[in-house]
Amino acid sequence: MNITKEQIDDLNAVVKVAISKEDYQDKVEKILNDYRKQANIPGFRKGQVPMGLIKKQYGKAVLVDEVNKLLQDNLNKYLTEEKLDVLGNPLPKQPENFDWDNENLDFEFELGLAPSFDVQLKTKKAVTQYKIVADKKMIDDQVERIQKQYGKLVSKTEVGKADEVTGTFANEAEDINNKTTIEVDKVKAKKAVDALVGKKVGDVVTLSTKGLFKEDYLLSSALGINRDKADSLATEVTFTIEEINERQPAALDQELFDKLFGKDKVTSAKELKDRIKEDSENQFEQQSDQKLLNDITEKLIEETKFDLPAGFLKKWIQVSGEQMLSDDQANEEFERSEKGLRYQLIEGKIIQENSLQVQFDELKEFAKGFIKSQMAQYGHMDPKEEELENIAVRVLSNQDEVKRLSEQLMSQKLLDLYKEKANLKVKEVSYDDFIKEAYS
């Protein structure tokens, strides 16, 4: 077997594979002999079928199969040994009048080669790195929410503007009959607030659904209908009052602090606010980090210029899926995927040049940190190391989870590298301003 490469240009090449009879004959003969031993053909005893008949019936199929195996194994080996960085997979060039009866068989494969380029992490234009701070209003609002959440309900005889009212919404025509609890201070329409305030248990109030709540999403849960129907609903519903309660806020005392953080971890209102600020800003950092990663990705794609073997890639896209694509479909798919492919090449070069790797031990520690944060969301604030270790081992026995966590850890390594070497400008903002600037 002889394999040679013809360089067409910097991004395209053709590999030629010459296979002689000696390369495949022994394997083909062995398989056909095995077929002969097992063949059950009428008129012949088992194992006594003439080889000529076996070759006539199975010879071409066995030859094609074995030659294809030789091609695949040796072509992959050649690409590895020659260190050819190819995009997609080699595409066979189908010669006219190919004859499998020839003893010597010649094949050609088109290659799309990865471009050569440099990546500059210090981009020409600085990328904004947002530092989101929890301002006084946000902290005070969070304290108020906590006091409300852990406060106690006191029964009342009539509805006030800050009360919680339990009752049933109904509209027979719209098939609405849903018992729920609403907070009067979350009702938007002044007419609705006026209709509720002063009412007693057993009273029935008629309310318009349009603009009923300050937050649109509250309407679907209050009426017990899906969000799409709620968004388009403009009708009247009755609300039968069944229970009225005032939620008295919990005192900012040690009992509340211990419920929130464990015994004596927080001992004053100031420490509570400091903890809320710290926890909030840690959560905000995840959002600002994701924004930073996205923005640097866009900037690297914009400023790192290189050509791709577009013609080859379109042909490869055309034939690589389950169904053959038309030329127009392949062009459209290439346009959709080009940006992602460019970043894959850029990211791969950054990883290689900076020797970024994911080791199993650090992957396990990363998994344990992820598990710990998940457990904290369900109130399990201080899991034991043995518990984390056991869960991590189970998680990492799943290859899909290993792949997902490895990608997350590599993204974190890239982010750390960007924070160290990229051209960044830090901007301190409140969370509301971050949302306006980052996603407007």
Side-chain angles (χ1 to χ4, degrees), residues 15 118 128 135 156 181 204 213 259 326 357 367 385 394 426:
V15 169
D118 294 320
T128 300
D135 56 21
K156 292 185 62 178
T181 298
V204 179
F213 293 104
K259 281 181 182 178
S326 67
Q357 295 180 338
E385 177 64 23
R394 288 201 302 272
V426 178

Side-chain angles (χ1 to χ4, degrees), residues 34 49 73 81 100 124 226 239 271 295 313 410:
D34 291 340
V49 180
D73 292 345
E81 290 177 348
W100 283 97
K124 297 173 186 174
N226 65 51
F239 183 64
E271 287 184 16
D295 288 348
L313 289 170
M410 182 54 74

Side-chain angles (χ1 to χ4, degrees), residues 148 153 162-166 181-183 243-245 247:
K148 197 171 184 180
L153 291 177
D163 293 339
E164 296 181 8
V165 186
T166 300
T181 298
I182 63 172
E183 298 174 45
E243 187 179 337
I244 306 165
N245 291 298
R247 187 175 289 273

Side-chain angles (χ1 to χ4, degrees), residues 182-237:
I182 63 172
E183 298 174 45
V184 179
D185 62 3
K186 290 186 179 178
V187 175
K188 179 180 180 181
K190 183 178 183 303
K191 187 176 178 181
V193 174
D194 291 343
L196 287 164
V197 171
K199 293 298 186 292
K200 300 179 180 180
V201 171
D203 287 346
V204 179
V205 182
T206 300
L207 304 171
S208 173
T209 61
K210 191 170 181 62
L212 181 57
F213 293 104
K214 293 176 182 177
E215 301 289 345
D216 291 338
Y217 74 90
L218 293 172
L219 184 63
S220 60
S221 60
L223 301 184
I225 59 178
N226 65 51
R227 181 68 186 272
D228 290 340
K229 181 177 179 179
D231 287 345
S232 61
L233 190 64
T235 188
E236 289 187 337
V237 291

